C-alpha cells in the first residue's frame, strides 16, 4: 500500500484504507463529480473550501480542496525531516501510484521551479480523455522545508 515510510525515527505513514489501490481508482473515478463522495466536514477560506477526506490514501494527511470555479482536487501532503527521506518517500509514492494506475497512465517527470530555481521534482501521470484528472506526486523543497504530496485533480492547475 501507500506506506511511504522513512527511517525508524520517522513518523510511520500508513494508508487509511484497507485497499489503497482500489481507493485511489475510486477517487480518480469521482473526479468529474468534484470528489463529492470523498468529502467530509469542510472549512471555508477566501478562495477555497478544504474538506477532510473520507478515504485517506495516507492516514491523517489527505483533504479535498474545492475552489470557487467548481475545480477540485484530492490532495495528501506529508512533511519530511530531510532531503533523503523526502526523496525516498517521493520515489516510493511514484512507484506505488504507477503500480495502482497501470499501463494506460503515462508518467512524465519534471523539475519543479520557483523563481527560476529548481525547487524539487514532480511526476505527473496522464491518461487520454478529458474527464480524466491528472495524478501527480511532488517532492517540494521550500527553503529548508521538505514535503511530498500526492495530487489528483485538474491537469491545468499550477501547484
Amino acid at each position: 500500500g501507500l506506506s511511504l515510510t522513512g527511517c525508524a525515527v520517522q513518523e510511520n505513514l500508513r494508508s487509511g484504507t484497507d485497499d489503497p489501490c482500489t481507493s485511489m481508482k475510486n477517487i480518480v473515478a469521482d473526479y468529474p463529480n468534484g470528489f463529492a463522495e470523498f468529502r467530509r466536514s469542510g472549512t471555508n477560506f477566501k478562495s477555497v473550501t478544504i474538506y477532510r477526506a473520507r478515504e485517506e490514501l495516507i492516514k491523517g494527511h489527505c483533504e479535498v480542496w474545492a475552489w470557487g470555479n467548481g475545480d477540485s482536487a484530492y490532495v495528501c501532503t506529508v512533511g519530511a525531516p530531510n532531503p533523503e527521506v523526502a526523496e525516498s518517500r517521493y520515489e516510493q509514492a511514484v512507484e506505488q501510484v504507477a503500480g495502482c494506475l497501470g499501463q494506460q497512465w503515462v508518467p512524465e517527470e519534471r523539475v519543479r521551479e520557483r523563481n527560476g530555481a529548481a525547487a524539487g521534482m514532480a511526476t505527473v501521470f496522464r491518461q487520454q480523455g478529458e474527464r480524466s484528472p491528472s495524478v501527480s506526486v511532488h517532492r517540494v523543497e521550500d527553503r529548508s522545508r521538505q514535503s511530498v504530496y500526492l495530487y489528483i485533480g485538474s491537469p491545468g492547475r499550477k501547484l
Side-chain angles (χ1 to χ4, degrees):
L2 286 165
S3 54
L4 304 182
T5 43
C7 44
V9 214
Q10 268 317 302
E11 163 197 26
N12 275 346
L13 301 176
R14 21 181 233 288
S15 176
T17 156
D18 293 338
D19 184 348
C21 258
T22 299
S23 293
M24 178 179 284
K25 287 175 181 152
N26 292 341
I27 292 163
V28 166
D30 201 35
Y31 164 68
N33 311 318
F35 308 104
E37 278 183 49
F38 295 92
R39 297 179 181 193
R40 287 168 63 192
S41 54
T43 308
N44 290 301
F45 296 94
K46 202 167 67 177
S47 57
V48 66
T49 301
I50 297 183
Y51 297 90
R52 293 178 49 220
R54 190 173 298 285
E55 284 186 41
E56 297 194 301
L57 293 175
I58 306 170
K59 191 173 173 57
H61 293 274
C62 303
E63 299 163 330
V64 173
W65 294 30
W67 289 272
N69 62 357
D71 191 13
S72 53
Y74 179 101
V75 185
C76 303
T77 313
V78 178
N82 59 50
E84 294 70 34
V85 172
E87 181 60 33
S88 90
R89 286 184 171 172
Y90 169 75
E91 285 172 8
Q92 279 180 298
V94 168
E95 207 172 291
Q96 289 163 342
V97 168
C100 281
L101 294 177
Q103 298 296 303
Q104 28 339 0
W105 292 76
V106 182
E108 179 204 333
E109 187 163 64
R110 44 179 94 145
V111 175
R112 289 180 55 94
E113 287 192 1
R114 189 183 300 99
N115 306 328
M121 294 300 296
T123 298
V124 180
F125 295 85
R126 288 303 317 276
Q127 175 181 236
Q128 291 311 305
E130 57 214 46
R131 304 301 281 148
S132 173
S134 159
V135 177
S136 53
V137 179
H138 301 252
R139 178 173 64 75
V140 183
E141 295 167 26
D142 185 12
R143 291 173 284 283
S144 60
R145 287 181 54 242
Q146 305 281 328
S147 54
V148 175
Y149 63 88
L150 170 68
Y151 168 92
I152 301 173
S154 145
R157 186 167 280 281
K158 264 303 215 199
L159 293 171

